[in-house]
Amino acid sequence: MDIKKDFFNYIGSENSLAKYSRSYKLIFLKSLLELESSSGKAKVIDVARKFKQFYEDRKEKGLEPDSDVESTIQNIEKSTITQVIGVIRDNPYDSFHKQNYIDIELINGEEYYCFNSELYKEITQNDKENLLELLYKKIRYYFSTRVDNRAGETNKMNILKGHFEQVLNNYYEARTSQQFANNPMGALIRNEITGQITVYDFIDNSIYKVNGSVGQGNWAIVPWVAILDKRITTTTQKGVYIAYIFSSDMKRLYLTLLNGATELNKQYGKKETIAKMHEIAENIHSKIETDIFKADNNIETGSEFYEEGCIFYKEYQAGQMPEDEILVDDLKAMVEIYQKYYTIFESKDSKEIEPEKPKDPEIEKEEDETMSVKENISRISAYIKSKGFTYEDDLIKNFYLSLKSKPFVILAGTSGTGKSKLVKLFSEAVGANSKNGRYKLVPVKPDWSDATDLLGYRDLHGEFHPGVLTSFINKAIDDIENPYFICLDEMNLARVEYYFSDILSVMETRTWDGERIITDKLISVELFGDDEEAKSIYQNIYIPENLYIIGTVNMDETTFPFSKKVLDRANTIEFSYVDFDYNFNKNLEVDPIELNNEFFKGQFLRLDNCGKYEEIVNRVIVILKSINEKLMNSNLHFGYRIRDEICYYTIYSQENDLSSFHNALDNEILQKILPRIQGSSTPIKRAIIDLFKICINNQVENFNHENSGVNEDMFKYIEDNPKIPYIKSASKLAFMMRRFEEDGFTSYWL
């Protein structure tokens, strides 16, 4: 029999509990799937902790851990991890192991649970996602029928109150200091709260769709749970729906009737969208009255569109959450209002519930908020390839990580290799394009000698004329939730430090203002003179957190070199390989995906924000100290800015499983440190050799700076040792050494 089919038959359908006298097998398998690595393994002790936490959470809510269980689970809060491991090994693990589904493997002295190798080969990522969803449903069904008797006791147990309090008490810490992928907070909002809502008898699952969100790839500042009438809308991006909105400071929860803003904003822009939402709300208020809910939009969530789109609401304060009896009655009353809205504004004889269209799991998961950063980047790559351009997947990951580490990136390479095309297609892939005004290409002119063309100037009549960057920034500030990309094409046709220095300096003033990243003002008030109208519009603009500046450069005799001030503030990504193959498959149509700015926004502005990642930071610093020591002899050493930004890049890479530690650090050595090296002196040659030794992790190999032909020795070493830790940087250093020995001068720009 097919082992995968056998396994799923053993698990059983959503409402089948034939093989489950207790909940252990369900909780064990759920814990394993939530923790497993890409190789299908999870540490025994970690699974035990998650297993234990599940039953502890039930007891904290005043619920029985399970029925007819031994003292270890009945008194779970007092039980040790060793005792819990014993329960798992004797019960759920033993059952799965006897069926030849799950084994224990010893790796470096630690025990791991792992799927049987034959079964693991058959199970796809989609299978795992479906299995987890099935387990969540079976767990709810198990406790509702075997333990909690939800038919008559749901409200008394304060399940909803407990879930809401858990979010209000713990979400901020999770968002600011914990990994996004597989975080229990995501499961709580997406599955536990939504699952609890679906059991109420007034939630007809043939009519309503219940979704929860903690963000898409990154933590959302404002999480939510939405109840959508499928006859009205199946997405929170448009139409009227019910939503629980948590305030960004986690001090308030709002039960709202809300108007979706995303589609309106795409069509009309922010100002007109808000006016239209107000008009819709006023129309609804004129037809539907309520004494239970407030009929205004005086809510404080941290999201302007949620606030402006609010039609009715009730506020619950953190620390003062009412009992489930009240919460459920409020929700029922809001559902009744929602139905009145449907009857008055939406109902038509011909309007039936449309079945949801099946979605391509790799491309079209528009409403799937569970997509990881890695999966979203794969979707971006798929979109770019569908347009006939092929860039290595590692380049797309590198570009994303560079933007997230610092919103200023330089793309370098020979002419025609698709640098500006990469910026355009990447922007389009995430929903930013020239049509909606969130992508702009600005060709740099050779005569730019100051910031006039970018920021603006005052003419002889005293009138201020905004520059291309000023107008673009003003639009970005008004749409802070979405990313904006500006491409400075052929950036070094003029001297970058002349026309761009003001912007670079202001960029370094980035700081936190609550949940937002802001900078000092970009334009001095004196520049406006007596132009009061321009002053009122532009005097307060700054570099917003959703602005990403990418410069493309060609390094030849027609262009200017970069100063260290510019190089220190950017990731410089060099690529010249072009894949000429073209796919004429007419069926390859990939739609862009809408990713908000949280996907790109950096989490760190100072190294002391990275305490959770101390181990990664310390590993990076050990290497950087060695490099800086070698560069000091040539006066090429770097400062705190480069140290910090390399740490951020490596953390983001590790946190989102985008590359290995060595590959991430290899990229940053190549992009942040090597571009600083140029010259013709002996110390330059010595520095190249010293850095090469660090990159190959070999301090003994004899590469003497007094010898000629050192570059040949370097290339030979790389050929013989293809698994050296920092191979890209080592290869670049070998090319730089070749140029030094052939021309008597070298630089990063070959």
Side-chain angles (χ1 to χ4, degrees), residues 19 36 64 178 187 228 326 367 630 663:
K19 300 182 181 71
E36 66 155 357
E64 280 293 308
Q178 295 176 17
L228 310 145
I326 295 174
E367 290 302 313
K630 301 301 182 184
N663 187 55

Side-chain angles (χ1 to χ4, degrees), residues 14 85 126 245 337 443 457 522 565 596 691 707:
E14 179 180 334
I85 290 174
N126 194 45
I245 306 292
I337 288 177
Y457 67 96
L522 197 52
K565 176 177 180 177
N596 64 33
L691 291 191
N707 295 344

Side-chain angles (χ1 to χ4, degrees), residues 214-268:
V214 295
Q216 195 173 36
N218 268 329
W219 292 107
I221 294 177
V222 180
W224 50 261
V225 174
I227 302 162
L228 310 145
D229 186 323
K230 291 182 280 188
R231 297 168 298 184
I232 300 170
T233 181
T234 58
T235 170
T236 58
Q237 296 186 2
K238 63 181 180 180
V240 173
Y241 58 93
I242 295 171
Y244 284 105
I245 306 292
F246 294 88
S247 66
S248 60
D249 58 9
M250 291 296 126
K251 293 181 179 179
R252 295 167 302 281
L253 169 65
Y254 297 98
L255 171 60
T256 68
L257 188 67
L258 202 64
N259 198 10
T262 305
E263 291 297 329
L264 287 172
N265 189 47
K266 287 180 187 175
Q267 187 174 358
Y268 299 108

Side-chain angles (χ1 to χ4, degrees), residues 1-13 19 99-101 118-124 127 131 134:
M1 189 178 185
D2 184 336
I3 189 170
K4 183 170 85 168
K5 185 177 179 181
D6 189 23
F7 174 65
F8 276 93
N9 285 339
Y10 182 78
I11 300 301
S13 62
K19 300 182 181 71
Q99 296 293 325
N100 204 30
Y101 297 141
E118 184 182 350
L119 174 61
Y120 189 72
K121 289 177 185 176
E122 299 294 324
I123 295 180
T124 66
D127 288 331
L131 179 56
L134 174 63

Side-chain angles (χ1 to χ4, degrees), residues 600-617:
F600 298 95
K601 179 180 173 182
Q603 299 167 243
F604 315 118
L605 295 182
R606 291 176 16 188
L607 203 59
D608 58 7
N609 302 143
C610 305
K612 181 187 173 187
Y613 303 97
E614 182 177 359
E615 182 180 347
I616 295 174
V617 170

Side-chain angles (χ1 to χ4, degrees), residues 171-183:
Y171 185 85
Y172 184 82
E173 180 183 355
R175 181 174 69 77
T176 54
S177 62
Q178 295 176 17
Q179 179 176 307
F180 179 82
N182 299 320
N183 194 288

Side-chain angles (χ1 to χ4, degrees), residues 304-517:
E304 187 175 6
F305 278 140
Y306 288 149
E307 293 164 5
E308 298 295 345
C310 180
I311 301 165
F312 295 115
Y313 74 93
K314 183 169 183 178
E315 178 180 329
Y316 307 109
Q317 291 282 340
Q320 301 175 32
M321 190 64 60
E323 305 294 297
D324 268 21
E325 185 174 359
I326 295 174
L327 290 172
V328 175
D329 284 347
D330 289 345
L331 179 57
K332 185 176 183 180
M334 188 64 86
V335 169
E336 289 172 356
I337 288 177
Y338 196 19
Q339 283 311 294
K340 288 181 183 177
Y341 167 80
Y342 169 74
T343 301
I344 296 170
F345 294 97
E346 300 280 351
S347 179
K348 294 179 182 177
D349 293 339
S350 61
K351 193 166 186 178
E352 299 176 352
I353 300 174
E354 295 182 10
E356 293 184 54
K357 296 178 182 178
K359 298 177 181 179
D360 184 329
E362 297 302 320
I363 298 171
E364 295 182 351
K365 293 184 180 177
E366 180 182 346
E367 290 302 313
D368 185 357
E369 299 283 356
T370 66
M371 296 293 285
S372 68
V373 170
K374 181 186 282 189
E375 288 169 324
N376 276 320
I377 291 175
S378 294
R379 294 159 73 192
I380 292 169
S381 294
Y383 175 85
I384 293 173
K385 287 175 183 175
S386 76
K387 300 303 178 185
F389 291 82
T390 302
Y391 301 94
E392 293 180 351
D393 288 343
D394 281 348
L395 173 62
I396 305 300
K397 292 176 184 176
N398 184 16
F399 186 43
Y400 166 75
L401 288 168
S402 298
L403 288 170
K404 192 171 179 68
S405 304
K406 183 74 167 287
F408 175 41
V409 174
I410 295 172
L411 299 181
T414 55
S415 180
T417 50
K419 300 182 293 296
S420 38
K421 182 62 73 172
L422 171 61
V423 183
K424 181 178 186 292
L425 292 176
F426 185 94
S427 303
E428 286 180 0
V430 301
N433 53 58
S434 54
K435 187 175 180 180
N436 61 24
R438 288 169 43 204
Y439 164 79
K440 191 173 187 65
L441 177 72
V442 178
V444 173
K445 302 294 193 300
D447 61 349
W448 285 10
S449 58
D450 56 33
T452 297
D453 290 272
L454 288 178
L455 298 183
Y457 67 96
R458 190 171 76 248
D459 64 20
L460 295 176
H461 303 289
E463 182 179 349
F464 178 78
H465 297 266
V468 289
L469 186 58
T470 306
S471 302
F472 192 71
I473 286 177
N474 218 28
K475 181 175 172 60
I477 291 173
D478 284 341
D479 187 19
I480 203 72
E481 301 296 331
N482 290 310
Y484 280 64
F485 301 89
I486 189 163
C487 178
L488 299 177
D489 196 31
E490 299 200 53
M491 188 180 194
N492 60 336
L493 277 179
R495 287 196 176 275
V496 178
E497 60 271 22
Y498 288 179
Y499 70 85
F500 207 60
S501 61
D502 292 348
I503 297 158
L504 288 175
S505 297
V506 172
M507 193 178 292
E508 293 309 304
T509 67
R510 292 191 306 156
T511 187
W512 290 103
D513 180 22
E515 299 296 325
R516 299 293 184 201
I517 299 174

